[in-house]
């Protein structure tokens, strides 16, 4: 859901063999819903730039409040004659998961005047898998291996929700700043220390013999 109907949303020319890329600006609360994977439909009026968006294109959402951005791949484009027609078919909880469903029509019409709605409206459906690749690792695998301390245990968590979607996993070399906030130092703190102690007691040996 946009923050300003006058906000320009330029289309960036795509590189060869790359999907077309489009930009949309969101208020912080809607950006955070997209970032968390809770908001998976964006509604816009059918302006010429929005009618150009197709399935498989990349949409880059910009947080109006912080300047952060994230990108998604458009999975479905559904045009409607009006907001009323759209809300009869689309799940309001996917458009604004924190708002009352019966108030969404009023909210949309407070953003867009009748002259804008008369252009038609479009629902863009997406999931929260990133569309653009992250930046390449700044060293080879062999060079990285030389930086890893000996006899150190490293773990990787892959967490999925009830819909089998990964939960906010991102490469530390990705093009957006959000990721799991953890470090090697914190990995064995608190609860992990208890897990480590139980494991050591069960195998009856030191950690180095199992971490080499």
């Amino acid at each position: 859901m946009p923050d300003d109907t006058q906000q320009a949303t330029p289309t960036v020319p795509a590189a060869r063999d790359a999907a077309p890329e489009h930009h949309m600006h969101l208020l912080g609360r809607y950006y955070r819903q997209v970032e968390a994977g809770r908001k998976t439909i964006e509604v816009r009026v059918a302006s010429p730039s929005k009618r150009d968006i197709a399935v498989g294109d990349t949409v880059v959402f910009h947080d109006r409040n912080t300047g952060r951005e994230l990108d998604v791949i458009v999975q479905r484009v559904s045009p409607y004659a009006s907001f009323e027609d759209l809300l009869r078919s689309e799940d309001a909880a996917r458009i604004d998961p924190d708002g009352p469903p019966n108030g969404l029509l009023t909210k949309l019409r407070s953003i867009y005047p009748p002259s804008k709605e008369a252009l038609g409206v479009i629902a863009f459906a997406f999931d929260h898998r990133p569309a653009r690749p992250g930046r390449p690792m700044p060293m080879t695998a062999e060079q990285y291996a030389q930086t890893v301390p000996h006899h150190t245990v490293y773990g990787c968590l892959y967490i999925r929700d009830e819909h089998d979607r990964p939960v906010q996993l991102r490469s530390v070399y990705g093009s957006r700043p959000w990721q799991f906030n953890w470090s090697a130092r914190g990995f064995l703190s608190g609860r992990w220390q208890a897990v480590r102690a139980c494991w050591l007691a069960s195998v009856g040996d030191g950690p180095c013999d199992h971490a080499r």
Side-chain angles (χ1 to χ4, degrees), residues 7-205:
Q7 175 67 54
T9 53
T11 299
V12 175
R16 181 174 295 184
D17 299 326
E21 187 174 294
H22 313 268
H23 293 251
M24 298 185 189
H25 292 76
L26 301 174
L27 286 174
R29 68 182 292 259
Y30 301 117
Y31 180 91
R32 290 189 294 273
Q33 290 172 352
V34 175
E35 186 177 58
R38 300 172 58 233
K39 174 178 171 63
T40 55
I41 292 177
E42 175 63 10
V43 175
R44 297 290 171 119
V45 296
S47 63
S49 63
K50 299 304 181 289
R51 289 197 296 268
D52 285 342
I53 300 176
V55 171
D57 285 3
T58 295
V59 169
V60 181
F61 289 114
H62 299 264
D63 185 339
R64 177 76 172 180
N65 303 104
T66 66
R68 293 188 301 160
E69 65 179 51
L70 60 83
D71 50 82
V72 298
I73 300 174
V74 177
Q75 306 290 336
R76 174 171 59 86
V77 178
S78 299
Y80 298 93
S82 67
F83 290 127
E84 285 181 319
D85 289 343
L86 182 147
L87 293 176
R88 277 195 287 267
S89 299
E90 302 290 347
D91 182 359
R94 294 183 61 189
I95 301 171
D96 183 5
D98 296 323
N102 56 1
L104 188 52
L105 179 61
T106 300
K107 182 177 295 184
L108 288 168
R109 284 181 168 161
S110 72
I111 298 171
Y112 293 109
S115 60
K116 295 289 187 180
E117 185 177 356
L119 297 172
V121 299
I122 305 175
F124 298 101
F126 52 87
D127 56 28
H128 65 298
R129 290 176 293 181
R132 301 183 296 184
R135 292 189 294 271
M137 189 172 179
M139 62 180 71
T140 67
E142 291 76 14
Q143 290 171 329
Y144 174 74
Q146 296 301 316
T147 71
V148 179
H150 294 290
H151 312 308
T152 300
V153 177
Y154 287 86
C156 178
L157 300 179
Y158 182 69
I159 302 174
R160 296 177 292 180
D161 65 12
E162 64 272 18
H163 301 294
D164 202 39
R165 300 173 301 188
V167 178
Q168 295 192 350
L169 293 178
R170 202 73 190 208
S171 168
V172 295
Y173 297 106
S175 55
R176 263 66 61 207
W178 58 279
Q179 58 179 289
F180 271 129
N181 293 316
W182 70 291
S183 66
R185 179 181 178 184
F187 183 74
L188 293 178
S189 63
R191 185 172 298 181
W192 285 105
Q193 285 284 15
V195 173
R196 177 177 178 272
C198 292
W199 173 72
L200 290 176
S202 67
V203 300
D205 206 343

